[in-house]
Amino acid sequence: MTTLTETGVQAGRLADRIVNSPAGYSGIEPDQEWVAEILRLKKQRNATILAHNYQLPPIQDIADHVGDSLGLARIAAETDADTIVFCGVHFMAETAKILSPDKTVLIPDARAGCSLADSITAEDLQAWRDDHPGAVVVSYVNTTAAVKALTDYCCTSSNAVDVVNAIEPDREVLFLPDQFLGQHVARVTGRKNMHIWAGECHVHAAINGDDLEEKARANPDAELFVHPECGCATSALYLVGEGHFPEERVKILSTGGMLEEARRTQAQKVLVATEVGMIYQLQKVAPQVDFEAVNAKAACKYMKMITPAALLRSLTENADEVHVDPETARLAARSVQRMVSIGHSAPVSK
């Protein structure tokens, strides 16, 4: 049982139920008592709660803003709140701290990491840069602050194409760390002088071409939303090329882009290739559509570590606070601010 600093009689009773285990914080149901206490603590701390689209439904529902990495980064940069509670994984909270260095930034469980961010270190990137002097470094937002500090442009899946298109055509580009997103960007931009790091998100990589083909053949009238981090993105284009799936029904989109497309679609059914948490937001914006995951097991254990108990603990204890070394933050801010200024992505505000 974790020990918490009490912020009132009600807080003490509810917080005392929290159980801490290696798998995360548990012991709290997202009932009306929990909702009332979260709202009370949020007001007390003048906090805003940001939640990524892959979060658990109760976390999405209690958040002030729900969106993808780019949309939430913009909110973090602009908010008047004293405290930002970032319900996502660690690199996202770091990015919020880089953009709002004077704010208190909390992540409800600091153990919520990212396999993709772990696929490249600052030392790896420095060595790669040394091998390609004069190249422009474009880092996906799924990277550590130390990697962002060595980066020229940061990007998300929603603006990666725009970022690469903004770079002089004769400059070499080092794109990292996601190989599937990099391949998608190279394909769309037609850029030939782009080098791609061989990293991947273990969840998205596991959504493979066999899963996609099986679902597509079983649902010939469905539309297909594919996140460019997915291992099946190339397979989707192959199915189009072979005539197995009409080109106009295949959409390779960021999570924010999926929400925009869901609002427009006339399809009765949409197959979704990304982390399963996305289905909840899609159903909210287009309840008339049947959204089905291409791989129903594609759940990120790190995203799911942000539980109702973890959020309550974070607001009660002011934990876990995110710190970024000031010099690292100063250097990283250049690439992150460029990301925020290019392209668009709108979070859901409440």
Side-chain angles (χ1 to χ4, degrees):
M1 190 77 68
T2 191
T3 301
L4 298 169
T5 302
E6 295 190 11
T7 59
V9 176
Q10 173 71 7
R13 282 203 303 268
L14 189 57
D16 281 347
R17 303 176 198 167
I18 298 175
V19 177
N20 181 9
S21 73
Y25 294 96
S26 60
I28 299 293
E29 292 298 320
D31 54 19
Q32 287 305 308
E33 183 183 12
W34 174 79
V35 169
E37 185 59 10
I38 294 297
L39 295 178
R40 186 186 73 82
L41 289 166
K42 186 182 75 166
K43 182 177 180 181
Q44 183 183 78
R45 295 194 179 280
N46 187 26
T48 187
I49 300 174
L50 311 184
H52 191 269
N53 290 316
Y54 297 160
Q55 288 293 293
L56 294 166
I59 302 298
Q60 294 190 34
D61 286 344
I62 199 73
D64 298 294
H65 307 280
V66 182
D68 62 11
S69 298
L70 180 56
L72 296 177
R74 288 186 169 133
I75 293 293
E78 297 167 0
T79 183
D80 292 329
D82 296 325
T83 298
I84 298 168
V85 185
F86 209 118
C87 297
V89 291
H90 197 268
F91 77 79
M92 296 178 180
E94 268 193 340
T95 304
K97 184 65 177 177
I98 290 166
L99 288 167
S100 292
D102 297 328
K103 306 285 186 186
T104 297
V105 177
L106 307 177
I107 182 169
D109 193 331
R111 296 169 293 187
C114 174
S115 60
L116 180 55
D118 289 343
S119 71
I120 187 168
T121 66
E123 291 76 19
D124 293 332
L125 177 52
Q126 185 60 62
W128 202 25
R129 287 184 58 162
D130 291 344
D131 288 341
H132 297 274
V136 177
V137 177
V138 178
S139 292
Y140 192 26
V141 72
N142 299 44
T143 47
T144 64
V147 167
K148 290 182 176 74
L150 293 172
T151 294
D152 297 301
Y153 289 88
C154 200
C155 72
T156 70
S157 55
S158 62
N159 71 352
V161 169
D162 293 329
V163 168
V164 171
N165 275 333
I167 297 168
E168 300 93 324
D170 60 342
R171 296 285 298 277
E172 277 189 300
V173 173
L174 305 183
F175 190 96
L176 62 106
D178 189 83
Q179 59 183 311
F180 299 115
L181 178 59
Q183 290 162 8
H184 168 69
V185 171
R187 189 164 51 233
V188 173
T189 63
R191 199 167 192 115
K192 304 300 183 185
N193 56 351
M194 197 169 146
H195 308 278
I196 302 168
W197 189 260
E200 63 181 29
C201 161
H202 71 285
V203 176
H204 283 100
I207 306 174
N208 57 48
D210 291 339
D211 294 332
L212 176 68
E213 186 167 358
E214 179 182 346
K215 291 285 187 181
R217 291 185 187 280
N219 299 276
D221 296 324
E223 284 191 347
L224 178 60
F225 292 0
V226 182
H227 194 282
E229 279 184 53
C230 286
C232 67
T234 300
S235 298
L237 297 177
Y238 171 79
L239 290 173
V240 169
E242 292 296 302
H244 300 309
F245 217 75
E247 183 176 5
E248 67 273 12
R249 295 215 303 269
V250 176
K251 321 283 185 177
I252 298 182
L253 303 160
S254 68
T255 56
M258 288 183 184
L259 290 171
E260 292 176 9
E261 194 63 34
R263 293 184 180 98
R264 291 191 293 261
T265 186
Q266 299 300 308
Q268 293 183 328
K269 185 161 190 175
V270 175
L271 303 176
V272 182
T274 190
E275 208 271 356
V276 294
M278 190 65 212
I279 299 291
Y280 184 66
Q281 274 297 315
L282 290 169
Q283 289 173 333
K284 288 181 74 172
V285 301
Q288 76 283 2
V289 179
D290 178 14
F291 294 99
E292 181 180 347
V294 169
N295 184 339
K297 296 180 180 179
C300 175
K301 66 178 182 179
Y302 299 116
M303 284 285 185
K304 273 42 177 181
M305 291 180 79
I306 310 304
T307 61
L311 179 56
L312 175 62
R313 165 189 170 267
S314 185
L315 280 166
T316 304
E317 278 200 328
N318 211 40
D320 290 329
E321 187 170 355
V322 175
H323 299 281
V324 179
D325 170 74
E327 181 61 12
T328 300
R330 184 186 70 80
L331 294 171
R334 298 174 304 178
S335 60
V336 175
Q337 286 163 353
R338 285 171 173 167
M339 171 188 77
V340 170
S341 69
I342 296 176
H344 72 283
S345 179
V348 178
S349 300
K350 299 175 184 175

